């Protein structure tokens, strides 16, 4: 199998939805057209991370990094680059002031350390041979033939790996609890691939780009704790990830890496996929287990914890996708190696889905303890349109905001908690000065209210009340007491809710109130939304000095409430204005004030 | 496909490893950059590239990455190849045909010695710009 060139086409959901499959097919056809299909291998991989610039095509060995590729570019890539040896410079990713010969010159990748994403964008996730070639299943091999279950747990302990699903619980301890149960006739291993946080897609990308890493890790857990059966719980909205998982499971079974007596050993383990309906609460571990059992996905009080009493009351190890993907590398490279990355208490790396007001949105993996500034400015390329950075929401609907004042704080479990936010699963939504903090808090509350299962009152009633108060404030009808009410309801929910959903639902409101008290007060006392988002509080007026009377705003206004003579300052009739902002966007002279 | 035992898994891994290592760019500390401008190609840069690809594979030199660049501006010396590796100055070689390519691998990359008769310095104006 000797190829002179490799073309890697991103097959992640982002690129797939902008025609990556067509690009792949056209490249194949073009290679055949030039009779060079034996010379160049064309591979569809998982996400490269740099989704902002997708679809992405990488040509090796010379590392040409082509971005925003279209299906009709395929012929040129083959005909010019591969056949004639002339890279297609028009498609090459460029950064000001850089030579851009290869990936290491791209700022987006420079501060990243890819452990979890080591194979994403590198291997063909539908070909088990490629995973095996990258030391795939070497960790399972090592565990089965040269480590005792206690050795595995010891290695995990050395590594310091903590769960990536949100709470950061030490993984080794969870496994030990399950292993220690001696009288169980059956134990289970579960992968939590529910990923319900808005804006988050790291777990999906791992499953799409490197499904075997999760299968291998689950088998290792099975061996370690004494389980023979595993389940992957994944939401039905992830068809590509589900399909790749199915292919991966079938290939692993065929080679005897899943199933009876794996690699000729005495250990047997198999995995099934269970589809979830996409309810946020089903990501909570007890609700998830109920859902696998075929019941309604509602949380149960803990303890007992799943580690000792889980699926069908049997001891069950449940971990997040990203947690799983770390495990094979920890065994092959050693716990010490892993512990060398990250901070004192948070080891390894974390994958973040960087979205919102950021130039390079995408999937990034950085060592724990990386300052937010590096993520936003070096990797993320800063805020678009010269706007000012305001804050980052981490931890989704369970988290809070980090502000510009704290932008140099290292991102790890402890520091985020100190700042009143959480790591969560790794969603990172960047806000700029045009985002209203009250509006953002309201968005998250709306989400949790809708997603609450309704089983317990603090969450069901408290969440609704919080939402109503935020709504009132955003409409200019809030009072000073409302701020106190948010505090008292919020703290009651934290204490009394049954599961994490209700316990953390007030966080976005509490955290944003803490850091942006002024902005809340502006809404309440001045009836003003400084960011100009809350429709009821904004007024559009013409700044007479700046208006040249071009009439563009009047033509754009859908309710015709703008009047004025040609070349004379115009006027907006406030009674008729519906605050759509069309005039504000239309005016080329900054002559419309939004306040 | 038959179920694997331990040896078969290891064998399968070795068989597939090399192709994947060529794709890997992370641990590559040595770069060979081939000028692929029109004049380079006219002078045979494609054969040179092919020679390097084959040689790297044959000798399993996984730490070397191979790149294509546009014209380096040394038309009379094409095909032009730049070699960058730790512990050695960045060197531009001229008139690199497949035979010279082999010498570069043996003498420069493996032996850490320059091929004096093929070294071309950067033109003066580049040095001024630097
Ligand atoms: C409301 C709610 C939603 C959750 N959603 C997810 C999820 O989508 N994915 C996930 O891995 N963990 C989720 N969790 C955390 C899980 O309950 C559990 O802690 C995690 O799967 C444990 O894995 P880890 O130890 O590897 O982090 C959620 C928790 C709560 C309270
Ligand atoms: S806290 Fe909310 S989601 Fe959790 S059990 Fe109670 S009602 Fe259901
Ligand atoms: S678009 Fe601007 S400049 Fe033109 S009339 Fe309206 S406010 Fe005046
Ligand atoms: S989906 Fe293609 S780069 Fe992320």
């Amino acid at each position: 199998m000797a190829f002179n060139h490799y073309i890697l086409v991103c097959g992640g959901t982002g690129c797939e939805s902008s025609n990556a499959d067509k690009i792949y097919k056209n490249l194949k056809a073009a290679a055949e057209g030039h009779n060079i299909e034996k010379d160049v291998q064309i591979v569809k991989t998982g996400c490269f991370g740099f989704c902002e610039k997708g679809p992405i095509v990488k040509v090796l060995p010379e590392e040409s990094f082509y971005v925003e590729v279209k299906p009709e570019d395929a012929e040129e890539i083959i005909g010019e680059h591969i056949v004639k040896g002339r890279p297609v410079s028009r498609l090459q990713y460029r950064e000001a002031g850089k030579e851009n010969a290869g990936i290491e010159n791209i700022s987006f990748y420079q501060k990243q350390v890819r452990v979890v994403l080591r194979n994403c964008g590198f291997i063909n996730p539908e070909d088990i041979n490629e995973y095996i070639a990258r030391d795939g299943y070497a960790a399972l091999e090592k565990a089965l033939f040269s480590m005792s279950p206690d050795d595995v747990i010891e290695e995990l302990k050395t590594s310091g790996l903590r769960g990536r699903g949100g709470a950061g619980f030490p993984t080794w301890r969870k496994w030990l609890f399950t292993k220690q149960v001696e009288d169980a006739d059956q134990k289970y291993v579960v992968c939590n691939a529910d990923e319900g946080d808005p804006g988050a897609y790291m777990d999906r990308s791992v499953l799409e780009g490197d499904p075997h890493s999760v299968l291998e890790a689950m088998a290792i857990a099975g061996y370690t704790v004494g389980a023979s059966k595993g389940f992957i719980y994944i939401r039905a909205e992830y068809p590509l990830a589900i399909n790749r998982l199915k292919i991966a499971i079938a290939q692993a079974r065929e080679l005897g890496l899943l199933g009876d007596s794996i690699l000729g050993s005495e250990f047997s383990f198999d995995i099934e996929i269970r589809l979830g309906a996409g309810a946020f609460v089903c990501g909570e571990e007890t609700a998830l287990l109920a859902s696998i059992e075929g019941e309604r996905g509602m949380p149960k009080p803990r303890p007992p914890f799943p580690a000792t009493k889980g699926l069908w009351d049997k001891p069950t190890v449940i971990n997040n996708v990203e947690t799983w993907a770390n495990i094979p590398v920890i065994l092959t490279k050693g716990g010490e190696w892993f512990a060398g990355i990250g901070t004192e208490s948070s080891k390894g790396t974390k994958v973040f889905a960087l979205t919102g007001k950021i130039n390079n949105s995408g999937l990034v993996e950085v060592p724990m303890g990386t300052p937010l500034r590096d993520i936003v400015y070096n990797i993320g390329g800063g805020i678009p349109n010269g706007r000012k950075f305001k804050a980052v929401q981490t931890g989704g609907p369970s988290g809070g905001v980090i502000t510009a004042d704290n932008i140099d704080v290292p991102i790890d479990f402890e520091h985020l908690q100190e700042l009143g936010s959480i790591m969560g699963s790794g969603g990172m939504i960047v806000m700029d000065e045009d985002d209203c903090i009250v509006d953002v808090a309201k968005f998250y509350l709306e989400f949790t209210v809708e997603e609450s299962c309704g089983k317990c009152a603090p969450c069901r009633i408290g969440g609704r009340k919080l939402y109503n108060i935020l709504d009132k404030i955003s409409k200019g009808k809030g009072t000073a007491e409302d701020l106190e009410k948010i505090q008292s309801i919020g703290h009651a929910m934290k204490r009394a809710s049954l599961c994490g959903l209700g316990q953390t639902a007030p966080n976005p409101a509490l955290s944003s109130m803490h850091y942006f008290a002024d902005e809340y007060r502006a809404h309440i006392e001045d009836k003003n939304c400084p960011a100009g988002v809350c429709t009821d509080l904004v007024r559009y007026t013409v700044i007479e000095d700046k208006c040249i009377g071009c009439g563009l705003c009047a033509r754009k206004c859908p309710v015709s409430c703008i009047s004025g003579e040609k070349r004379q300052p115009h006027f907006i009739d406030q009674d008729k204005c519906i605050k759509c902002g069309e005039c504000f966007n239309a005016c080329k002279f900054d002559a419309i004030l939004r306040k | 496909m038959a179920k694997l035992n331990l040896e078969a898994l290891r064998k399968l891994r070795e068989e597939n490893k090399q192709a994947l290592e060529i794709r890997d760019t992370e641990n590559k500390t040595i770069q060979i950059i081939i000028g692929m401008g029109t004049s380079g190609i006219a002078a045979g840069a494609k054969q040179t590239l092919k020679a390097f690809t084959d040689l790297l594979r044959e000798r399993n030199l996984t730490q070397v990455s191979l790149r294509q660049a546009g014209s380096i501006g040394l038309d009379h010396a094409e095909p032009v190849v730049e070699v960058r590796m730790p512990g050695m100055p960045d060197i531009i070689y001229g008139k690199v045909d497949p035979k010279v390519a082999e010498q570069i691998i043996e003498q420069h990359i493996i032996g850490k010695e320059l091929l004096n008769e093929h070294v071309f310095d950067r033109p003066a104006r580049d040095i001024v710009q630097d």
Side-chain angles (χ1 to χ4, degrees), chain A residues 340-394:
Chain A
I341 309 170
T343 63
E344 193 48 42
S345 58
S346 305
K347 302 297 187 190
T349 60
K350 180 75 194 87
V351 183
F352 292 102
L354 194 58
T355 55
K357 305 288 177 58
I358 186 92
N359 278 316
N360 302 334
S361 67
L363 207 62
V364 307
E365 180 172 358
V366 289
M368 291 274 190
T370 301
L372 184 59
R373 183 186 296 280
D374 284 350
I375 301 177
V376 171
Y377 289 97
N378 298 345
I379 299 172
I383 318 296
N385 306 320
R387 309 303 285 166
K388 232 172 77 193
F389 171 83
K390 180 171 194 166
V392 159
Q393 168 86 20
T394 71

Side-chain angles (χ1 to χ4, degrees), chain A residues 542 546-554 570 583 586-589 591-592:
Chain A
V542 174
K546 285 191 177 172
C547 176
I548 63 149
C550 69
L552 189 60
C553 56
H570 279 47
C583 55
C587 181
K588 298 194 169 52
F589 302 91
I592 292 189

Side-chain angles (χ1 to χ4, degrees), chain A residues 180-247:
Chain A
Q180 278 170 342
V181 181
E182 272 170 6
D183 51 357
D185 52 353
Q186 176 72 53
K187 295 179 184 178
Y188 295 102
V189 172
V190 172
C191 169
N192 187 345
D194 191 59
E195 194 163 60
D197 283 24
Y201 61 102
M202 21 308 130
D203 292 349
R204 186 190 73 199
S205 299
V206 169
L207 293 172
E208 285 173 2
D210 194 17
H212 285 286
S213 64
V214 172
L215 305 186
E216 180 179 6
M218 289 175 73
I220 292 167
Y223 166 74
T224 308
V225 305
S228 59
K229 185 132 194 75
F231 291 95
I232 298 175
Y233 187 85
I234 180 168
R235 49 179 53 214
E237 289 101 288
Y238 282 180
L240 193 59
I242 295 168
N243 191 35
R244 298 231 167 106
L245 270 175
K246 282 186 181 157
I247 293 170

Side-chain angles (χ1 to χ4, degrees), chain A residues 419-438:
Chain A
L419 295 177
S421 188
I422 58 163
M423 180 80 73
S425 53
M428 220 179 229
I429 303 178
V430 184
M431 291 172 243
D432 71 3
E433 51 193 314
D434 296 334
D435 289 307
C436 166
I437 209 76
V438 178

Side-chain angles (χ1 to χ4, degrees), chain A residues 162-171 174 191-197 203 235 279-286 288 302 318-324 398 425 499-504:
Chain A
R162 297 168 63 175
R164 301 296 195 242
F169 192 80
T171 305
K174 214 184 240 187
C191 169
N192 187 345
D194 191 59
E195 194 163 60
D197 283 24
D203 292 349
R235 49 179 53 214
F280 181 58
V281 77
C282 286
E284 195 281 335
E285 53 190 19
T286 58
L288 184 150
R302 302 174 311 167
I318 171 166
N319 280 124
N320 162 265
V321 172
E322 192 181 328
T323 314
W324 288 119
S398 312
S425 53
C499 86
L501 192 148
Q503 287 156 7
T504 60

Side-chain angles (χ1 to χ4, degrees), chain A residues 130-152:
Chain A
E130 296 208 345
Y131 178 72
I132 289 175
R134 293 273 283 176
D135 284 336
Y137 291 102
L140 179 62
E141 177 189 315
K142 191 168 171 187
L144 291 183
F145 295 98
S146 59
M147 293 171 92
S148 71
D150 286 318
D151 292 340
V152 176

Side-chain angles (χ1 to χ4, degrees), chain A residues 41-317:
Chain A
Q41 187 185 31
I42 304 168
V43 181
K44 197 141 75 144
T45 70
C47 172
F48 286 103
F50 205 6
C51 312
E52 175 77 27
K53 296 278 183 247
I56 292 174
V57 171
K58 205 162 119 184
V59 183
L60 299 170
E62 58 272 21
E63 285 181 59
S64 290
F65 195 77
Y66 294 143
V67 294
E68 292 172 353
V69 179
K70 296 195 179 58
E72 50 284 18
D73 298 328
E75 173 56 37
E76 196 174 343
I77 293 176
I78 298 290
E80 278 294 303
H81 186 147
I82 307 293
V83 177
K84 297 203 187 118
R86 288 194 287 239
V88 188
S89 61
R90 127 190 115 74
L91 295 173
Q92 249 154 354
Y93 177 72
R94 267 174 231 294
E95 250 170 70
K98 288 203 175 173
E99 186 186 346
N100 287 324
I103 280 220
E104 73 276 4
N105 280 326
I106 301 177
S107 313
F108 180 76
Y109 290 104
Q110 269 168 351
K111 295 221 168 183
Q112 294 202 43
V113 173
R114 289 161 82 90
V115 175
V116 172
L117 301 177
R118 61 195 178 277
N119 289 326
C120 280
F122 193 88
I123 62 167
N124 174 358
E126 298 182 7
D127 182 354
I128 191 171
N129 290 322
E130 296 208 345
Y131 178 72
I132 289 175
R134 293 273 283 176
D135 284 336
Y137 291 102
L140 179 62
E141 177 189 315
K142 191 168 171 187
L144 291 183
F145 295 98
S146 59
M147 293 171 92
S148 71
D150 286 318
D151 292 340
V152 176
I153 287 178
E154 204 50 43
E155 200 71 62
L156 282 186
K157 190 173 170 185
T158 309
S159 77
L161 176 67
R162 297 168 63 175
R164 301 296 195 242
F169 192 80
T171 305
W172 69 272
R173 200 173 286 164
K174 214 184 240 187
W175 289 26
L176 185 63
F177 286 146
T178 303
K179 177 180 174 281
Q180 278 170 342
V181 181
E182 272 170 6
D183 51 357
D185 52 353
Q186 176 72 53
K187 295 179 184 178
Y188 295 102
V189 172
V190 172
C191 169
N192 187 345
D194 191 59
E195 194 163 60
D197 283 24
Y201 61 102
M202 21 308 130
D203 292 349
R204 186 190 73 199
S205 299
V206 169
L207 293 172
E208 285 173 2
D210 194 17
H212 285 286
S213 64
V214 172
L215 305 186
E216 180 179 6
M218 289 175 73
I220 292 167
Y223 166 74
T224 308
V225 305
S228 59
K229 185 132 194 75
F231 291 95
I232 298 175
Y233 187 85
I234 180 168
R235 49 179 53 214
E237 289 101 288
Y238 282 180
L240 193 59
I242 295 168
N243 191 35
R244 298 231 167 106
L245 270 175
K246 282 186 181 157
I247 293 170
I249 291 174
Q251 290 181 346
R253 277 188 194 141
E254 210 178 298
L255 292 186
L257 295 163
L258 285 178
D260 290 335
S261 37
I262 291 174
L263 289 172
S265 73
E266 278 166 20
F267 171 63
S268 300
F269 185 80
D270 210 349
I271 295 176
E272 275 179 47
I273 298 175
R274 285 285 183 277
L275 300 188
F280 181 58
V281 77
C282 286
E284 195 281 335
E285 53 190 19
T286 58
L288 184 150
L289 297 180
S291 182
I292 293 182
E293 289 170 7
E295 289 170 39
R296 247 187 88 180
M298 282 213 241
K300 293 190 185 113
R302 302 174 311 167
F305 288 95
T308 51
K309 234 170 174 243
L311 263 186
W312 295 288
D313 287 339
K314 307 292 181 192
T316 302
V317 166

